[in-house]
Amino acid sequence: MTREQKAVAIEELKAQLADANILYIADISGLNAEITTNLRKACNKVGIKLEVVKNTLLAKAMEATEKNYDELPSVLKGNSAILISEVANAPAKVIKEFRKKSDKPLLKGAYINEEVYVGDNQLDTLVAIKSREEMIGEIIGLLQSPAQRVISALQNQFKDEE
């Protein structure tokens, strides 16, 4: 790869990182072409972009962004793939589901809305993170519950007066 190609690749990664608030880094080494294709399909099905990257280029792109990736560049050893998603727990769920059939991919780390998670032992924690939609649904449910009780009480009151 020439110096110019590296500069272009870093700029492309930098643009992807600037737009991404949810980034997972995984080790997919040792997966054959068929299994890697199945992983890509599983990711695409739920709106996750999976891309194999060079560690040094990704580290330079991380350094060039305004985001604080903290210790995440330190996990960039061996083969790395990035998973970019709009839903915080979607990549973790795909990885966990995929590992029922294979011992990979391994989670190296994740950056989720300014929080950094390092290590495969964080996978269960990341699976448990609620998506924005799930949180909004829970809040709406909590808000509706008291309002429904008030409406029900008022309706019962009017029935009693009749």
Side-chain angles (χ1 to χ4, degrees):
M1 188 177 257
T2 67
R3 186 172 280 157
E4 292 80 20
Q5 290 171 322
K6 287 179 183 178
V8 169
I10 290 170
E11 284 303 312
E12 288 174 358
L13 282 170
K14 187 175 146 186
Q16 287 179 2
L17 295 177
D19 292 340
N21 287 322
I22 299 162
L23 168 75
Y24 282 63
I25 302 172
D27 176 2
I28 62 170
S29 63
L31 297 181
N32 65 31
E34 180 184 354
I35 295 172
T36 303
T37 300
N38 292 339
L39 178 60
R40 281 187 197 278
K41 286 178 183 177
C43 287
N44 287 335
K45 191 180 287 185
V46 292
I48 300 169
K49 180 181 180 194
L50 180 132
E51 183 178 340
V52 177
V53 295
K54 289 192 174 286
N55 292 329
T56 54
L57 301 180
L58 180 57
K60 287 181 181 182
M62 286 177 160
E63 289 171 13
T65 66
E66 295 178 10
K67 295 179 180 175
N68 179 12
Y69 290 103
D70 200 27
E71 62 203 86
L72 211 49
S74 69
V75 303
L76 297 174
K77 294 173 180 70
N79 293 342
S80 297
I82 57 173
L83 294 87
I84 298 174
S85 176
E86 294 291 319
V87 179
N89 63 0
K93 287 180 177 180
V94 168
I95 290 170
K96 188 155 181 120
E97 182 64 29
F98 212 77
R99 293 234 309 248
K100 290 179 180 176
K101 301 175 202 148
S102 174
D103 61 339
K104 297 263 176 117
L106 294 175
L107 177 69
K108 291 182 174 188
Y111 173 87
I112 299 172
N113 300 320
E114 299 180 11
E115 292 289 323
V116 174
Y117 301 83
V118 175
D120 194 60
N121 61 333
Q122 298 292 318
L123 189 60
D124 289 331
T125 302
L126 294 170
V127 167
I129 291 176
K130 294 191 184 318
S131 70
R132 183 173 186 260
E133 290 76 19
E134 290 170 329
M135 295 284 279
I136 290 170
E138 282 186 13
I139 291 169
I140 289 172
L142 291 171
L143 292 173
Q144 282 180 340
S145 181
Q148 287 172 339
R149 280 186 263 169
V150 169
I151 291 169
S152 178
L154 288 172
Q155 287 174 337
N156 288 338
Q157 183 68 32
F158 287 125
K159 287 180 185 175
D160 292 341
E161 290 178 5
E162 293 175 359

PDB file of all heavy atoms in Angstrom, residues 147-162:
ATOM      1  N   ALA A 147     -51.204   7.876  34.243  1.00  0.00           N
ATOM      2  CA  ALA A 147     -52.276   8.564  33.516  1.00  0.00           C
ATOM      3  C   ALA A 147     -53.456   7.626  33.294  1.00  0.00           C
ATOM      4  O   ALA A 147     -54.615   8.030  33.419  1.00  0.00           O
ATOM      5  CB  ALA A 147     -51.750   9.085  32.180  1.00  0.00           C
ATOM      6  N   GLN A 148     -53.181   6.382  33.011  1.00  0.00           N
ATOM      7  CA  GLN A 148     -54.259   5.413  32.807  1.00  0.00           C
ATOM      8  C   GLN A 148     -55.029   5.182  34.102  1.00  0.00           C
ATOM      9  O   GLN A 148     -56.248   5.038  34.093  1.00  0.00           O
ATOM     10  CB  GLN A 148     -53.694   4.095  32.269  1.00  0.00           C
ATOM     11  CG  GLN A 148     -53.271   4.185  30.822  1.00  0.00           C
ATOM     12  CD  GLN A 148     -52.546   2.938  30.342  1.00  0.00           C
ATOM     13  OE1 GLN A 148     -52.025   2.179  31.140  1.00  0.00           O
ATOM     14  NE2 GLN A 148     -52.519   2.746  29.033  1.00  0.00           N
ATOM     15  N   ARG A 149     -54.340   5.168  35.221  1.00  0.00           N
ATOM     16  CA  ARG A 149     -55.012   4.988  36.507  1.00  0.00           C
ATOM     17  C   ARG A 149     -55.923   6.178  36.824  1.00  0.00           C
ATOM     18  O   ARG A 149     -57.027   6.011  37.322  1.00  0.00           O
ATOM     19  CB  ARG A 149     -54.001   4.780  37.625  1.00  0.00           C
ATOM     20  CG  ARG A 149     -53.489   3.338  37.657  1.00  0.00           C
ATOM     21  CD  ARG A 149     -52.611   3.114  38.830  1.00  0.00           C
ATOM     22  NE  ARG A 149     -51.255   3.291  38.273  1.00  0.00           N
ATOM     23  CZ  ARG A 149     -50.161   3.393  38.982  1.00  0.00           C
ATOM     24  NH1 ARG A 149     -50.204   3.374  40.275  1.00  0.00           N
ATOM     25  NH2 ARG A 149     -49.003   3.537  38.399  1.00  0.00           N
ATOM     26  N   VAL A 150     -55.449   7.396  36.517  1.00  0.00           N
ATOM     27  CA  VAL A 150     -56.261   8.590  36.754  1.00  0.00           C
ATOM     28  C   VAL A 150     -57.507   8.554  35.870  1.00  0.00           C
ATOM     29  O   VAL A 150     -58.624   8.805  36.347  1.00  0.00           O
ATOM     30  CB  VAL A 150     -55.440   9.880  36.502  1.00  0.00           C
ATOM     31  CG1 VAL A 150     -56.325  11.106  36.479  1.00  0.00           C
ATOM     32  CG2 VAL A 150     -54.348  10.019  37.550  1.00  0.00           C
ATOM     33  N   ILE A 151     -57.332   8.229  34.602  1.00  0.00           N
ATOM     34  CA  ILE A 151     -58.468   8.151  33.680  1.00  0.00           C
ATOM     35  C   ILE A 151     -59.451   7.088  34.140  1.00  0.00           C
ATOM     36  O   ILE A 151     -60.664   7.312  34.160  1.00  0.00           O
ATOM     37  CB  ILE A 151     -57.976   7.884  32.240  1.00  0.00           C
ATOM     38  CG1 ILE A 151     -57.233   9.108  31.712  1.00  0.00           C
ATOM     39  CG2 ILE A 151     -59.144   7.522  31.326  1.00  0.00           C
ATOM     40  CD1 ILE A 151     -56.480   8.876  30.418  1.00  0.00           C
ATOM     41  N   SER A 152     -58.939   5.951  34.547  1.00  0.00           N
ATOM     42  CA  SER A 152     -59.801   4.875  35.023  1.00  0.00           C
ATOM     43  C   SER A 152     -60.578   5.303  36.272  1.00  0.00           C
ATOM     44  O   SER A 152     -61.784   5.056  36.391  1.00  0.00           O
ATOM     45  CB  SER A 152     -58.954   3.639  35.322  1.00  0.00           C
ATOM     46  OG  SER A 152     -59.750   2.595  35.819  1.00  0.00           O
ATOM     47  N   ALA A 153     -59.909   5.978  37.188  1.00  0.00           N
ATOM     48  CA  ALA A 153     -60.573   6.447  38.410  1.00  0.00           C
ATOM     49  C   ALA A 153     -61.648   7.466  38.083  1.00  0.00           C
ATOM     50  O   ALA A 153     -62.743   7.441  38.658  1.00  0.00           O
ATOM     51  CB  ALA A 153     -59.543   7.042  39.368  1.00  0.00           C
ATOM     52  N   LEU A 154     -61.350   8.365  37.146  1.00  0.00           N
ATOM     53  CA  LEU A 154     -62.345   9.371  36.737  1.00  0.00           C
ATOM     54  C   LEU A 154     -63.550   8.712  36.080  1.00  0.00           C
ATOM     55  O   LEU A 154     -64.693   9.095  36.343  1.00  0.00           O
ATOM     56  CB  LEU A 154     -61.716  10.398  35.798  1.00  0.00           C
ATOM     57  CG  LEU A 154     -60.732  11.380  36.441  1.00  0.00           C
ATOM     58  CD1 LEU A 154     -60.049  12.214  35.364  1.00  0.00           C
ATOM     59  CD2 LEU A 154     -61.433  12.271  37.458  1.00  0.00           C
ATOM     60  N   GLN A 155     -63.290   7.731  35.225  1.00  0.00           N
ATOM     61  CA  GLN A 155     -64.398   7.028  34.573  1.00  0.00           C
ATOM     62  C   GLN A 155     -65.258   6.311  35.600  1.00  0.00           C
ATOM     63  O   GLN A 155     -66.480   6.337  35.513  1.00  0.00           O
ATOM     64  CB  GLN A 155     -63.861   6.039  33.529  1.00  0.00           C
ATOM     65  CG  GLN A 155     -63.326   6.710  32.288  1.00  0.00           C
ATOM     66  CD  GLN A 155     -62.660   5.724  31.337  1.00  0.00           C
ATOM     67  OE1 GLN A 155     -62.223   4.646  31.751  1.00  0.00           O
ATOM     68  NE2 GLN A 155     -62.574   6.099  30.076  1.00  0.00           N
ATOM     69  N   ASN A 156     -64.648   5.689  36.586  1.00  0.00           N
ATOM     70  CA  ASN A 156     -65.389   5.004  37.649  1.00  0.00           C
ATOM     71  C   ASN A 156     -66.198   6.003  38.478  1.00  0.00           C
ATOM     72  O   ASN A 156     -67.321   5.717  38.880  1.00  0.00           O
ATOM     73  CB  ASN A 156     -64.453   4.195  38.550  1.00  0.00           C
ATOM     74  CG  ASN A 156     -63.928   2.968  37.862  1.00  0.00           C
ATOM     75  OD1 ASN A 156     -64.517   2.472  36.907  1.00  0.00           O
ATOM     76  ND2 ASN A 156     -62.804   2.478  38.344  1.00  0.00           N
ATOM     77  N   GLN A 157     -65.626   7.163  38.715  1.00  0.00           N
ATOM     78  CA  GLN A 157     -66.302   8.211  39.469  1.00  0.00           C
ATOM     79  C   GLN A 157     -67.566   8.660  38.744  1.00  0.00           C
ATOM     80  O   GLN A 157     -68.620   8.810  39.341  1.00  0.00           O
ATOM     81  CB  GLN A 157     -65.357   9.408  39.676  1.00  0.00           C
ATOM     82  CG  GLN A 157     -65.953  10.523  40.508  1.00  0.00           C
ATOM     83  CD  GLN A 157     -66.163  10.111  41.959  1.00  0.00           C
ATOM     84  OE1 GLN A 157     -65.413   9.314  42.494  1.00  0.00           O
ATOM     85  NE2 GLN A 157     -67.198  10.643  42.589  1.00  0.00           N
ATOM     86  N   PHE A 158     -67.443   8.856  37.414  1.00  0.00           N
ATOM     87  CA  PHE A 158     -68.598   9.294  36.628  1.00  0.00           C
ATOM     88  C   PHE A 158     -69.665   8.191  36.559  1.00  0.00           C
ATOM     89  O   PHE A 158     -70.842   8.480  36.572  1.00  0.00           O
ATOM     90  CB  PHE A 158     -68.182   9.711  35.221  1.00  0.00           C
ATOM     91  CG  PHE A 158     -67.455  11.034  35.186  1.00  0.00           C
ATOM     92  CD1 PHE A 158     -66.196  11.122  34.593  1.00  0.00           C
ATOM     93  CD2 PHE A 158     -68.007  12.184  35.760  1.00  0.00           C
ATOM     94  CE1 PHE A 158     -65.509  12.332  34.555  1.00  0.00           C
ATOM     95  CE2 PHE A 158     -67.323  13.396  35.718  1.00  0.00           C
ATOM     96  CZ  PHE A 158     -66.073  13.472  35.132  1.00  0.00           C
ATOM     97  N   LYS A 159     -69.248   6.953  36.526  1.00  0.00           N
ATOM     98  CA  LYS A 159     -70.201   5.843  36.502  1.00  0.00           C
ATOM     99  C   LYS A 159     -70.975   5.770  37.808  1.00  0.00           C
ATOM    100  O   LYS A 159     -72.168   5.492  37.833  1.00  0.00           O
ATOM    101  CB  LYS A 159     -69.487   4.514  36.233  1.00  0.00           C
ATOM    102  CG  LYS A 159     -69.030   4.343  34.820  1.00  0.00           C
ATOM    103  CD  LYS A 159     -68.326   2.999  34.636  1.00  0.00           C
ATOM    104  CE  LYS A 159     -67.764   2.897  33.237  1.00  0.00           C
ATOM    105  NZ  LYS A 159     -66.976   1.681  33.070  1.00  0.00           N
ATOM    106  N   ASP A 160     -70.273   6.037  38.930  1.00  0.00           N
ATOM    107  CA  ASP A 160     -70.909   6.008  40.241  1.00  0.00           C
ATOM    108  C   ASP A 160     -71.944   7.124  40.384  1.00  0.00           C
ATOM    109  O   ASP A 160     -72.960   6.968  41.059  1.00  0.00           O
ATOM    110  CB  ASP A 160     -69.877   6.117  41.356  1.00  0.00           C
ATOM    111  CG  ASP A 160     -68.995   4.879  41.437  1.00  0.00           C
ATOM    112  OD1 ASP A 160     -69.397   3.826  40.893  1.00  0.00           O
ATOM    113  OD2 ASP A 160     -67.896   4.965  42.033  1.00  0.00           O
ATOM    114  N   GLU A 161     -71.698   8.271  39.747  1.00  0.00           N
ATOM    115  CA  GLU A 161     -72.615   9.409  39.848  1.00  0.00           C
ATOM    116  C   GLU A 161     -73.877   9.207  39.017  1.00  0.00           C
ATOM    117  O   GLU A 161     -74.879   9.857  39.259  1.00  0.00           O
ATOM    118  CB  GLU A 161     -71.892  10.697  39.418  1.00  0.00           C
ATOM    119  CG  GLU A 161     -70.844  11.116  40.422  1.00  0.00           C
ATOM    120  CD  GLU A 161     -70.075  12.362  39.989  1.00  0.00           C
ATOM    121  OE1 GLU A 161     -70.430  12.948  38.947  1.00  0.00           O
ATOM    122  OE2 GLU A 161     -69.127  12.735  40.689  1.00  0.00           O
ATOM    123  N   GLU A 162     -73.822   8.367  38.023  1.00  0.00           N
ATOM    124  CA  GLU A 162     -74.974   8.153  37.141  1.00  0.00           C
ATOM    125  C   GLU A 162     -76.005   7.342  37.760  1.00  0.00           C
ATOM    126  O   GLU A 162     -76.538   6.840  38.460  1.00  0.00           O
ATOM    127  CB  GLU A 162     -74.547   7.485  35.821  1.00  0.00           C
ATOM    128  CG  GLU A 162     -73.699   8.381  34.989  1.00  0.00           C
ATOM    129  CD  GLU A 162     -73.185   7.651  33.751  1.00  0.00           C
ATOM    130  OE1 GLU A 162     -73.452   6.467  33.538  1.00  0.00           O
ATOM    131  OE2 GLU A 162     -72.498   8.286  32.981  1.00  0.00           O
TER     132      GLU A 162
END
